[in-house]
């Protein structure tokens, strides 16, 4: 955050600047304020999300971990539907084996 820190402007320096320079300073400050305000809003949303997930965690509530909500990554790559639909093996018995049948009751 401290990359582009402007020089310290005091009353004496500001009185010596031209009107155009003062306007540019005000515009830059307005843009900086807008960016920082947006960042604060984003961080507040993230804090709320983390508070909710912290409250649902089994470690804090002394409940079984199986009761935890599954946490999925937001940037998870979507799997290809072709791979999920084709099974690796056919269902049923293995090829080449004789089947056995059970004789019924009486």
């Amino acid at each position: 955050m401290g990359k582009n820190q402007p020089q310290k402007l005091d009353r004496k320096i500001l009185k010596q600047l031209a009107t155009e320079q003062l306007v540019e300073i005000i515009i830059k400050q307005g843009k900086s304020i807008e960016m920082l305000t947006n960042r604060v809003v984003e961080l507040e949303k993230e804090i709320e999300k983390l508070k909710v997930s912290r409250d649902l965690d089994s470690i804090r509530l002394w409940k079984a971990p199986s009761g935890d909500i599954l946490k999925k990554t937001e940037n998870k790559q979507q799997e290809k539907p072709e791979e999920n639909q084709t099974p690796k093996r056919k269902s049923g018995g293995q090829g080449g084996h004789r089947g056995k049948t059970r004789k019924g009751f009486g």
Side-chain angles (χ1 to χ4, degrees):
M1 294 287 303
K3 298 185 240 178
N4 297 328
Q5 290 184 351
Q7 69 182 32
K8 300 283 183 178
L9 299 174
D10 60 356
R11 194 174 283 265
K12 192 183 260 187
I13 294 173
L14 289 174
K15 284 185 178 183
Q16 295 174 355
L17 294 176
T19 307
E20 290 180 21
Q21 291 173 325
L22 292 173
V23 169
E24 289 298 318
I25 290 173
I26 292 171
I27 291 172
K28 286 180 184 178
Q29 288 178 346
K31 288 179 182 178
S32 296
I33 290 171
E34 184 179 351
M35 285 175 29
L36 291 172
T37 303
N38 291 338
R39 182 68 178 147
V40 167
V41 169
E42 289 174 14
L43 291 174
E44 286 175 344
K45 287 179 184 177
E46 184 70 21
I47 288 171
E48 287 302 316
K49 251 198 276 185
L50 291 173
K51 283 182 181 179
V52 168
S53 68
R54 178 197 65 190
D55 293 340
L56 295 176
D57 194 10
S58 65
I59 295 173
R60 298 233 180 241
L61 295 177
W62 298 94
K63 64 178 185 176
S66 60
D68 286 348
I69 294 176
L70 295 176
K71 298 175 185 174
K72 296 182 181 180
T73 59
E74 294 176 1
N75 299 331
K76 184 178 179 182
Q77 295 177 353
Q78 294 188 3
E79 298 175 9
K80 297 178 183 176
E82 301 157 4
E83 293 178 6
N84 291 340
Q85 294 176 354
T86 56
K88 293 182 180 179
R89 295 184 185 175
K90 291 183 179 179
S91 60
Q94 296 295 319
H97 289 275
R98 273 185 31 203
K100 295 185 178 181
T101 57
R102 184 175 155 199
K103 294 181 181 177
F105 298 106

